[in-house]
């Protein structure tokens, strides 16, 4: 699949916004801690990915009822669904000047992940969190995502690389009082 930038301006994929608040002190401190001892931006990106994937539980898996959407809140509260975890990873990567896009898959509902830009190409990564049947890995040599859409079931990948969270995603996150309410309102299309 060919990934298509929403905007040709690469600086848009380094920008901060209300959800990807990479200028927040907690995001900066976390990024600085992850950057200690890594040799290059590739190793940093892997470390940030594994940090979000492995130390911030997916709220559905953990049973956490809280809804987070801002990267700094995800890092502080240590919980989030796929969209929120993607926001946190995007913020950590952008904090270290690694262009990062938000991208989505259409499964039963819309699923969120990120794409990082290395060596002139975009590479999708899924920090959702592993569990039995899900084994997402950081990779620039072929995708190792949590899910592979099944076209026969109406599932698909969206090719657009978004510089900011899609309004449909951000809207449901911000409106939900708890995860059960969020689950009832998750977008099924963009």
């Amino acid at each position: 699949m060919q990934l298509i930038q929403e905007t040709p301006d690469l600086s848009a994929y380094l920008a901060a916004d209300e959800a990807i608040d990479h200028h927040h002190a907690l995001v900066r401190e976390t990024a600085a801690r992850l950057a200690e001892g890594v040799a290059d931006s590739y190793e940093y990106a892997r470390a940030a990915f594994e940090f979000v994937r492995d130390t911030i539980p997916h709220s559905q898996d953990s049973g956490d009822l809280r809804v987070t959407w801002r990267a700094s809140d995800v890092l502080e509260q240590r919980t989030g669904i796929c969209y929120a975890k993607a926001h946190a990873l995007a913020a950590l990567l952008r904090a270290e000047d690694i262009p990062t896009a938000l991208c989505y898959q259409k499964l039963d509902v819309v699923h969120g992940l990120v794409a990082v830009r290395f060596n002139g190409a975009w590479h999708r990564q899924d920090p959702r969190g592993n569990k039995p049947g899900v084994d997402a890995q950081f990779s620039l040599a072929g995708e190792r995502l949590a899910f592979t859409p099944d076209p026969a079931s109406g599932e698909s990948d969206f090719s657009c690389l978004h510089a900011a969270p899609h309004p449909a995603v951000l809207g449901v996150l911000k409106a939900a009082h708890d995860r059960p309410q969020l689950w009832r309102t998750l977008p099924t299309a963009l």
Side-chain angles (χ1 to χ4, degrees), residues 149-156:
D150 176 15
S153 298
E155 298 177 345
S156 62

Side-chain angles (χ1 to χ4, degrees), residues 1-14 94 98-103 115-124 158-164:
M1 174 183 66
Q2 181 180 0
L3 299 172
I4 302 166
Q5 288 181 209
E6 173 182 51
T7 175
D9 182 4
L10 201 55
S11 69
Y13 298 97
L14 293 168
R94 289 180 183 186
I98 298 170
T100 307
L102 297 164
C103 44
V116 296
R117 188 162 176 88
F118 278 105
N119 303 322
W122 289 100
H123 307 274
R124 293 190 308 166
F158 293 108
S159 61
C160 185
L161 298 170
H162 298 269

Side-chain angles (χ1 to χ4, degrees), residues 24-179:
H24 189 280
L26 180 57
V27 176
R28 302 304 275 181
E29 291 164 12
T30 304
R33 190 174 63 253
L34 291 169
E36 290 176 4
V38 298
D40 55 27
S41 59
Y42 173 78
E43 282 187 24
Y44 173 81
R46 177 187 298 279
F49 169 84
E50 290 174 353
F51 173 80
V52 173
R53 182 195 64 192
D54 298 342
T55 70
I56 300 172
H58 189 285
S59 58
Q60 179 188 15
D61 297 347
S62 68
D64 196 317
L65 298 179
R66 296 174 293 168
V67 175
T68 55
W69 57 270
R70 184 178 287 120
S72 57
D73 293 338
V74 174
L75 295 176
E76 179 185 7
Q77 297 180 36
R78 292 279 203 242
T79 190
I81 67 166
C82 60
Y83 312 131
K85 291 182 69 161
H87 298 169
L89 180 56
L92 290 171
L93 295 171
R94 289 180 183 186
E96 292 294 315
D97 295 320
I98 298 170
T100 307
L102 297 164
C103 44
Y104 303 94
Q105 295 176 315
K106 164 68 172 92
L107 304 172
D108 288 342
V109 294
V110 174
H111 174 63
L113 49 155
V114 303
V116 296
R117 188 162 176 88
F118 278 105
N119 303 322
W122 289 100
H123 307 274
R124 293 190 308 166
Q125 312 295 328
D126 192 341
R128 181 223 178 272
N130 290 338
K131 63 180 188 172
V134 175
D135 184 29
Q137 301 294 324
F138 185 85
S139 175
L140 302 183
E143 294 185 336
R144 302 275 312 273
L145 305 177
F147 306 108
T148 302
D150 176 15
S153 298
E155 298 177 345
S156 62
D157 287 305
F158 293 108
S159 61
C160 185
L161 298 170
H162 298 269
H166 192 281
V169 167
L170 196 54
V172 298
L173 285 171
K174 290 170 79 173
H177 300 290
D178 59 23
R179 191 176 40 78

